[in-house]
Amino acid sequence: MNTCIYMIRHGESPKTEGNERTRGLSEKGRLDSEKIIELLKDEGITSFVSSPYKRAVMTIEGLAHFCGQEVSVIEDLKEFMFSTEDKVVGDQEVYAMVRKMFETPDYVPPMGESMTECQQRAVAALKEILTIYKGQRVAIGTHGLVMTLMMNHFDNQYGYEFLMNTSKPDIYKMEFNEDTLVNIDRICL
């Protein structure tokens, strides 16, 4: 039996409250998390894991509770570190750095990490999830760049252009046979 991973990019999150780890969802983000419940409630998802960032957890916890489950947090699924973990970085600055990093994957922003480092830690976490939850359907609360880097590891068509065309939230169902990717489908909200 194949393992299905539902990559669920977090909903809209205001960059005016808290820090990177603690900022939650906007009103639109909260409403979208309700839509995710309706969309995925019949998928047979049995396990829920997430980045430790509040916005990622909040995006999938309603679905987890609907399914009678809790969300397990995995530190290595955290957002790409653009700077110090607590500093909120504005969209314009982020997008400029992301473009540069896709052109030079080993570029390290000041006090951040390289795309290569981020991809290695996130893919290692995903491979562990594939082992632990083999044959199950698992929802992962994630971030756009981290999701893209995990998908890119298995299929290089998922790069900068793909990332720039994702939405908040967004859902991609990845189907694996053991640790080999066999299919990716976007589930539209």
Side-chain angles (χ1 to χ4, degrees):
M1 175 186 263
N2 287 347
T3 305
C4 291
I5 302 293
Y6 295 79
M7 292 284 187
I8 304 174
R9 183 183 186 188
H10 67 78
E12 184 179 271
S13 178
K15 290 195 172 193
T16 56
E17 66 176 54
N19 59 44
E20 275 302 306
R21 279 190 182 259
T22 63
R23 63 185 170 94
L25 296 174
S26 66
E27 182 61 26
K28 180 186 181 311
R30 285 189 285 277
L31 292 172
D32 285 341
S33 70
E34 295 296 320
K35 291 178 186 175
I36 290 170
I37 296 170
E38 286 305 309
L39 193 63
L40 298 179
K41 69 182 182 182
D42 297 324
E43 288 289 315
I45 300 171
T46 57
S47 301
F48 298 82
V49 296
S50 180
S51 155
Y53 288 39
K54 186 176 180 180
R55 60 193 179 274
V57 173
M58 290 176 71
T59 299
I60 67 166
E61 72 183 348
L63 178 62
H65 293 160
F66 179 88
C67 295
Q69 301 295 318
E70 295 296 321
V71 177
S72 297
V73 169
I74 297 177
E75 182 66 25
D76 281 341
L77 293 175
K78 69 184 175 184
E79 174 63 293
F80 181 89
M81 291 178 53
F82 292 99
S83 183
T84 60
E85 284 193 63
D86 289 337
K87 181 183 175 195
V88 176
V89 182
D91 286 343
Q92 286 188 328
E93 186 179 352
V94 164
Y95 296 141
M97 275 193 275
V98 168
R99 178 178 284 286
K100 182 173 185 172
M101 289 182 296
F102 270 97
E103 293 167 356
T104 311
D106 291 323
Y107 166 75
V108 180
M111 299 181 71
E113 67 182 334
S114 73
M115 257 185 26
T116 302
E117 292 167 327
C118 179
Q119 185 178 46
Q120 287 172 346
R121 74 166 158 79
V123 168
L126 177 57
K127 286 183 176 183
E128 186 173 341
I129 290 166
L130 289 169
T131 299
I132 293 169
Y133 300 102
K134 182 178 178 180
Q136 296 183 38
R137 293 173 177 262
V138 182
I140 297 179
T142 189
H143 306 273
L145 181 54
V146 175
M147 175 182 78
T148 300
L149 293 174
M150 285 188 281
M151 293 167 74
N152 174 269
H153 174 79
F154 296 97
D155 186 338
N156 66 10
Q157 75 172 315
Y158 298 98
Y160 178 77
E161 293 302 322
F162 166 78
L163 174 61
M164 292 297 105
N165 288 302
T166 61
S167 60
K168 293 179 186 177
D170 215 339
I171 305 169
Y172 290 85
K173 179 181 175 183
M174 301 176 72
E175 188 174 348
F176 290 87
N177 181 346
E178 299 292 330
D179 63 352
T180 301
L181 178 66
V182 294
N183 192 47
I184 296 180
D185 287 315
R186 184 177 190 211
I187 299 176
C188 297
L189 286 175

